[in-house]
Structure formats: structure tokens, C-alpha cells
Amino acid sequence: MRRRPRQIVDYGLARRAALAELRSGHLTRADACDAHPYLLRAARYHGEATDERCPVCRKTRLTHVTYVYGDELGRYAGRVKATAELAEMAGKYGEFRVYVVEVCQSCAWNHLTVSYVLGHGDEPRSRRG
């Protein structure tokens, strides 16, 4: 039973590069702070507050929004989930991918921070022969 995160991808280098482009003037603030209204709404109502200040406006703390995707999830694919719900899901589903996006609700900065795979690792019952 594999319920620990695997296939972890950290997007920290891409984040630093985007911030460096913004500070150097190669990227406009409008292009960097372009969170979709649905993402901002998800951050407001379903996001999880962090202690980290926004790297762009430095006004507010960032919010993490966690999305889940996977064939086994059916109608739950693409939904926002709380971190606390992921452990239960990992025991229920064979495999699904988790994406965590940081969002600033003040200036609309957003960036994918990490993605990883969770699940118990078994094939879905419908695929077993």
C-alpha cells in the first residue's frame, strides 16, 4: 500500500524565474498577476492560508488551492480538496495527481508550486482480470 506522495514535481525554479522576469521588466505585472476569477474564488472559499507573504505585492499572505485529477475520481476530478481530505482519498483510490497552486487574493499572483501522485497503488477493480 503506497499512500505517501510520489512522483513529486517542485515548481520552485519556475517560480523564481517568473519573479526574476517580473523584477527585471521582461514580464509585466498584468501577465504575472493573472489569476482566473474561478481560481480567486476557490482561494477565497476553499483555499488554505499560509504564513508566506505574496512575493509580488507583499500585502497579504498567500493561499494554497489544492486540485485533484485522475481517471478513477470520476465527477470529483478537477475539484478543490482540503489537505486533510487527501489521506482518505489516498486510501480509497489507486492513483490520482494533486496540484497545489499559490494564490494572492490581493494582486492575483498565482503559480503552481508542487504536484504529486497519491493513492494506494492498486489497479481499479474494473481493470482487474
Side-chain angles (χ1 to χ4, degrees):
M1 294 269 209
R2 298 177 291 175
R3 294 185 188 184
R4 297 180 67 175
R6 55 194 185 276
Q7 297 178 20
I8 300 167
V9 179
D10 183 336
Y11 295 91
L13 289 175
R15 179 184 189 265
R16 283 191 294 228
L19 291 169
E21 284 186 38
L22 179 64
R23 290 185 183 114
S24 71
H26 290 96
L27 180 67
T28 67
R29 187 166 175 162
D31 288 334
C33 300
D34 63 349
H36 191 279
Y38 289 143
L39 178 58
L40 292 171
R41 191 173 303 127
R44 173 178 280 171
Y45 295 108
H46 305 288
E48 297 175 87
T50 71
D51 290 332
E52 186 179 354
R53 293 232 176 255
C54 175
V56 178
C57 72
R58 302 192 194 289
K59 289 181 186 174
T60 47
R61 291 191 173 99
L62 294 170
T63 303
H64 281 173
V65 181
T66 303
Y67 292 95
V68 293
Y69 290 90
D71 294 338
E72 290 181 66
L73 299 181
R75 63 187 176 120
Y76 296 110
R79 296 225 179 146
V80 176
K81 293 293 181 181
T83 302
E85 295 176 278
L86 297 178
E88 181 181 339
M89 289 180 68
K92 185 176 180 181
Y93 298 102
E95 184 174 288
F96 61 96
R97 185 159 282 279
V98 177
Y99 295 89
V100 180
V101 180
E102 67 180 19
V103 181
C104 175
Q105 295 179 55
S106 292
C107 73
W109 160 262
N110 65 104
H111 203 280
L112 178 62
T113 60
V114 67
S115 70
Y116 53 91
V117 172
L118 282 178
H120 54 67
D122 295 334
E123 287 187 38
R125 287 189 175 105
S126 62
R127 290 187 190 167
R128 293 181 192 165

